[in-house]
Amino acid sequence: MTGSEILRMQFDRLAQEFKNTLGDFGAQRLAWRPAPRANDIGALLWHSARAWDGYLFYLDGATEVFVTGNWQERFEMKTTPKNGFDGVYGEAQVACVRARPKLLSEYVDAIHQRTTVFLRAASPDQLAALVKIPWWPEEKPKAFVLAHVIRHSYEHLGEAQYIKGLMKAESKKRKAKSKKCLLLKLKKV
């Protein structure tokens, strides 16, 4: 098995994990925040997908999927950072990211498809070629950048899963409180 094949398997799995994290959530649940200034699941997944898309630009020089697929308009964003790295976690940007699950899933599919095409064509020498990411202190092999994308994405998928757990716990608390209130009302009757 080649390095390219291993990376393809990892990106196949990563794309599936995005879908698993999205689950059957609607836009309202994706926008739930555990605290007023916290990131929501939709913003975390959007940022992770935008960063994945942005790093591909540095590997193959092609215009980002976000631009070629007209995703800003499709996401109905009046403003957006120019790429997946620009201030995504500012409160204003988090507020502007209201990703609909189906659309976010389609965007990840498009990035995954581009990644697969890149990796199918990449030779071991091409994956070993050094590339400069402007904010990194030194050049790194393209395979290293792809490994970074995987790690970065899983970090945010983990955060999103954690928020899902907090949401579930909050929902259980509300149901228990509601049930307790109902029982108290019934006792009075």
Side-chain angles (χ1 to χ4, degrees):
M1 182 171 278
T2 67
S4 178
E5 290 169 331
I6 292 169
L7 285 166
R8 274 197 347 248
M9 284 181 5
Q10 288 297 312
F11 279 105
D12 289 348
R13 184 72 189 129
L14 179 60
Q16 186 57 51
E17 283 303 317
F18 266 95
K19 290 179 190 277
N20 292 347
T21 302
L22 283 168
D24 60 354
F25 273 18
Q28 185 176 4
R29 290 181 74 192
L30 280 182
W32 185 84
R33 294 179 179 191
R37 296 186 68 150
N39 292 310
D40 60 57
I41 294 169
L44 286 167
L45 296 179
W46 182 82
H47 160 73
S48 187
R50 286 290 293 125
W52 176 2
D53 191 9
Y55 276 111
L56 287 176
F57 164 78
Y58 292 101
L59 301 181
D60 68 7
T63 304
E64 294 174 42
V65 170
F66 190 78
V67 174
T68 61
N70 201 24
W71 289 97
Q72 181 171 340
E73 184 177 312
R74 292 170 74 178
F75 278 115
E76 298 174 358
M77 297 174 149
K78 290 182 173 71
T79 61
T80 184
K82 69 180 178 186
N83 62 44
F85 313 107
D86 286 348
V88 174
Y89 289 107
E91 193 170 350
Q93 276 100 2
V94 171
C96 89
V97 177
R98 290 294 171 248
R100 293 183 306 278
K102 184 177 186 291
L103 207 53
L104 190 52
S105 181
E106 289 171 0
Y107 178 49
V108 168
D109 284 344
I111 300 165
H112 178 230
Q113 181 179 9
R114 177 176 170 195
T115 305
T116 300
V117 168
F118 173 79
L119 287 170
R120 281 195 176 127
S123 69
D125 286 344
Q126 288 168 323
L127 289 174
L130 296 178
V131 62
K132 178 68 177 139
I133 305 297
W135 51 94
W136 289 7
E138 57 195 30
E139 293 180 332
K140 295 289 183 185
K142 289 181 179 185
F144 179 93
V145 175
L146 290 165
H148 172 79
V149 169
I150 293 165
R151 186 217 45 88
H152 175 261
S153 296
Y154 274 115
E155 179 179 326
H156 290 308
L157 286 168
E159 291 170 328
Q161 289 289 350
Y162 179 74
I163 292 172
K164 281 177 83 170
L166 292 175
M167 186 186 320
K168 194 174 192 178
E170 181 67 27
S171 177
K172 283 182 181 180
K173 272 198 253 180
R174 275 184 281 152
K175 285 179 184 176
K177 186 177 179 180
S178 178
K179 188 176 182 180
K180 186 177 180 180
C181 288
L182 179 62
L183 290 173
L184 288 173
K185 287 179 184 178
L186 290 174
K187 275 187 174 182
K188 288 182 181 181
V189 174

